Amino acid sequence: MLRLIAEIAGSGAVHIPSLREVERADATLVLGSNLPDAAPRAALALRQAARGAALALATKTKIPLWQDVAVRNRAGDARSPLFVATPTATRLDDIARTALRAAPADIARLGFAVAAAIDPEAPAVGDLSADLAAHARAIADELLAAERPLVVSGAEAGDARVIQAAANIAIALRARGKAGALMLNVPECNSLGLALMANGPGSVEEALAEPAGLVIVLENDLYRRVGQERIDAALGNAHLVVLDHSESPTSRRADLVLPAASFAEAGGTLVSSEGRAQRFYRPIFTESDVREAWRWLGDVGRATGRNACAGWDTEDDIAAALANAQPCFATVPRVAPSEKFRVAGCRVPSEPHRFSGRTAMNAASNVREPMPPTNPDSPFSTTMEGTYGKAPPQLLPFYWAPGWNSVQSLSKFQAEIGGALQGGDPGVRLLETHADAVQPYYADIPEAFTPRDGAWLAVLLPRVFGDDEQSARAAPIRARMAPPALALNPEDAARIGAAAGDTLACDIDGERQRLVLALHPEVPCGVAGIAGLSAKAYGLPTWIGITRAEAGLS
């Protein structure tokens, strides 16, 4: 799925928007993505986009946009059109013009039909129901009438054909001369960066199929990616080395574990779903054996005579090596100033000038103030010492201006209030559109969804709390995590004699899970929503069996 997203985003034929551009969209189609639970910040941007019609009315009647009450009174129920097509209800439905519930295959068919309605050159959908055809025509008309149409999908859709359909719509809009945009959500930080880095065919499953005497795993739990039986079979006779900062089933079975720095103990570069590479810097310094994973690998490489590792001394060296090895990352060294950057010969302070009490911070172990640590990978000092002059936008550790003792001083750093930072947005975009770029239409149109007797198509239902591997370890997040659940249409539940709150047994990829039943009248018959099992490497969507769980069995 990530390879497909990287292929589409890297084609240069579609525009990948920033969140600020998402907020300015004047017609939006969400295809297969439950964005509020998969990417809440992006969902907020869509809510802002829906207010576009109201803001336009206010501007027309010369009401200042900062007068929120007056703007809302003038606008009434006016909203920019938003269309949502997902298997289950979302928290965007209240502002949507149309919220369609359908199986992934039918959502993909809707998307392909919208593209064909926009551009006759796009592949047509055969045997389309009258209801879906009417929806497709209405959506196509609104997208064509808009100045800044937007199509949204993502990996959480589960079906590659849904993403292909979203891409077809963006390609069709471009063919009609529209300045459309395509936002494709990815599940984890740097997911897109990793997908762009991978060259040629290959996947975790294919890699595990190859016999290996030594397997090195970097900051990953393989059991969240592939089923346990396949992992155990692949690693049976191999020596396993794990570099990680958190304990996991993978690290527990390793022959050697090297302590790798977490994101808070290391710097690096992240690639967002916009395709923007941005630098982050190490905020925490400790005296321990913990080191960045790339430093461990560099030491191993030099010890084994690999000359390419000889120059890996700083993060800038790693960025330069990456740029040389991967053409798509050629601009990464320009993401931020180098570690040698100084203002008037001084480093940029990472702490505000009121930062004090450093002696008290360590008084429990030593009343003498230790020498502040030095970070060789960044131009920041680790204290309040340094220059407080103007710094590039990539090197703003906090917002402060004389007389402004709050984050409201942000306006002093912006080109205009509510606008971009002075000097431009930090980072560089790796994915830009090109006038001569050509992306062929995808033609893998699925057949209409047909329910099966005694089986249900299980789809993933994302959750804000608990789906993320690291945040799920935190007690405040765990306190907000709901138990795993199964969402069924009441008609399907009645067929197996189950009621809301009952425990059902689900056979998923050869494993049996006990899930509490939640009734969702909007879920299509024949479809089952699975929530709370993100830690399992289940290949959803997939067909599953569901029965009433026998008491006492697990």
Side-chain angles (χ1 to χ4, degrees):
M1 196 77 70
L2 288 176
R3 285 179 177 273
L4 174 62
I5 291 175
E7 171 190 299
I8 296 168
S11 68
V14 296
H15 176 63
I16 308 299
S18 66
L19 287 178
R20 187 178 291 118
E21 290 174 312
V22 170
E23 292 175 350
R24 293 198 292 263
D26 52 357
T28 304
L29 168 62
V30 179
L31 208 61
S33 176
N34 184 349
L35 214 59
D37 287 324
R41 178 60 185 86
L44 176 61
L46 290 187
R47 285 193 169 272
Q48 293 297 101
R51 294 196 64 205
L55 301 181
L57 284 174
T59 300
K60 187 176 180 179
T61 51
K62 299 182 179 180
I63 298 175
L65 298 185
W66 56 265
Q67 280 194 332
D68 188 64
V69 174
V71 170
R72 293 178 185 275
N73 287 339
R74 172 64 183 88
D77 295 329
R79 293 193 184 99
S80 297
L82 169 66
F83 301 92
V84 177
T86 54
T88 60
T90 77
R91 285 179 283 122
L92 288 175
D93 293 352
D94 61 311
I95 60 170
R97 179 171 296 183
T98 301
L100 176 68
R101 305 282 90 91
D106 289 336
I107 292 173
R109 288 170 62 83
L110 171 67
F112 282 113
V114 171
I118 293 173
D119 180 13
E121 298 298 320
V125 181
D127 300 325
L128 191 66
S129 69
D131 183 51
L132 278 184
H135 276 94
R137 183 72 262 173
I139 294 169
D141 290 343
E142 290 291 352
L143 293 177
L144 283 171
E147 294 182 6
R148 298 174 298 278
L150 172 67
V151 184
V152 179
S153 191
E156 61 276 5
D159 192 326
R161 297 167 298 184
V162 174
I163 296 176
Q164 291 173 347
N168 273 16
I169 299 172
I171 297 168
L173 288 169
R174 186 187 186 201
R176 293 292 300 273
K178 306 300 294 186
L182 174 64
M183 183 173 73
L184 297 174
N185 185 53
V186 291
E188 298 170 286
C189 64
N190 252 349
S191 292
L192 183 57
L194 178 61
L196 292 172
M197 188 182 298
N199 286 327
S203 64
V204 176
E205 292 85 352
E206 292 171 351
L208 292 173
E210 296 290 332
L214 174 65
V215 177
I216 301 175
V217 179
L218 300 180
E219 302 177 31
N220 232 300
D221 180 11
L222 295 181
Y223 290 93
R224 292 178 67 96
R225 315 298 176 186
V226 185
Q228 180 175 347
E229 290 185 3
R230 297 189 65 178
I231 295 288
D232 291 342
L235 301 180
N237 298 318
H239 293 286
L240 178 62
V241 177
V242 172
L243 291 81
D244 211 335
H245 48 73
S246 300
E247 187 180 14
S248 69
T250 303
S251 67
R252 284 194 287 270
R253 68 159 297 157
D255 299 293
L256 173 65
V257 178
L258 296 177
S262 71
F263 69 93
E265 301 164 309
T269 302
L270 288 175
V271 180
S272 69
S273 58
E274 178 198 350
R276 180 179 293 275
Q278 293 175 285
R279 188 75 178 269
F280 66 96
Y281 296 95
R282 176 181 180 179
I284 296 177
F285 296 83
T286 58
E287 294 183 4
S288 68
D289 294 329
V290 173
R291 306 175 69 201
E292 298 91 333
W294 67 265
R295 292 192 194 274
W296 284 115
L297 294 177
D299 287 349
V300 172
R302 285 187 285 268
T304 54
R306 296 182 180 272
N307 296 330
C309 305
W312 292 3
D313 296 321
T314 67
E315 290 168 8
D316 283 351
D317 296 333
I318 294 293
L322 178 62
N324 290 331
Q326 302 274 353
C328 64
F329 295 110
T331 56
V332 165
R334 302 202 302 270
V335 165
S338 75
E339 74 270 4
K340 298 178 182 178
F341 177 85
R342 300 291 185 271
V343 178
C346 299
R347 288 178 175 265
V348 178
S350 61
E351 300 288 354
H353 60 270
R354 286 190 173 87
F355 178 72
S356 61
R358 291 180 302 196
T359 303
M361 289 167 57
N362 301 297
S365 57
N366 195 335
V367 295
R368 296 172 181 246
E369 181 179 338
M371 179 177 291
T374 300
N375 187 356
D377 297 315
S378 89
F380 288 104
S381 71
T382 57
T383 66
M384 60 188 176
E385 285 83 16
T387 179
Y388 284 85
K390 285 279 186 177
Q394 302 93 329
L395 301 179
L396 290 177
F398 49 81
Y399 299 114
W400 178 87
W404 294 81
N405 293 318
S406 71
V407 76
Q408 292 179 358
S409 62
L410 169 63
S411 61
K412 300 293 184 180
F413 297 84
Q414 295 174 314
E416 61 178 350
I417 294 178
L421 292 174
Q422 296 174 17
D425 291 329
V428 295
R429 283 179 58 99
L430 305 179
L431 308 172
E432 295 288 3
T433 53
H434 307 287
D436 58 347
V438 177
Q439 173 67 38
Y441 283 115
Y442 294 96
D444 185 17
I445 302 174
E447 297 294 327
F449 175 73
T450 302
R452 298 181 184 179
D453 291 335
W456 284 262
L457 182 67
V459 298
L460 176 68
L461 303 184
R463 283 178 171 174
V464 175
F465 299 114
D467 278 7
D468 177 72
E469 180 180 1
Q470 290 302 313
S471 66
R473 300 171 184 267
I477 299 298
R478 295 186 67 84
R480 289 161 176 79
M481 290 168 52
L486 174 72
L488 282 180
N489 186 288
E491 293 183 18
D492 282 342
R495 290 191 185 98
I496 57 178
D502 288 352
T503 300
L504 302 182
C506 305
D507 296 316
I508 312 173
D509 287 353
E511 292 185 13
R512 171 154 290 200
Q513 291 285 346
R514 291 167 59 93
L515 302 174
V516 176
L517 174 62
L519 298 182
H520 287 247
E522 79 282 1
V523 174
C525 288
V527 174
I530 302 290
L533 294 182
S534 60
K536 296 287 186 177
Y538 294 139
L540 303 180
T542 188
W543 290 95
I544 66 171
I546 303 175
T547 57
R548 291 179 59 87
E550 297 181 25
L553 294 181
S554 59

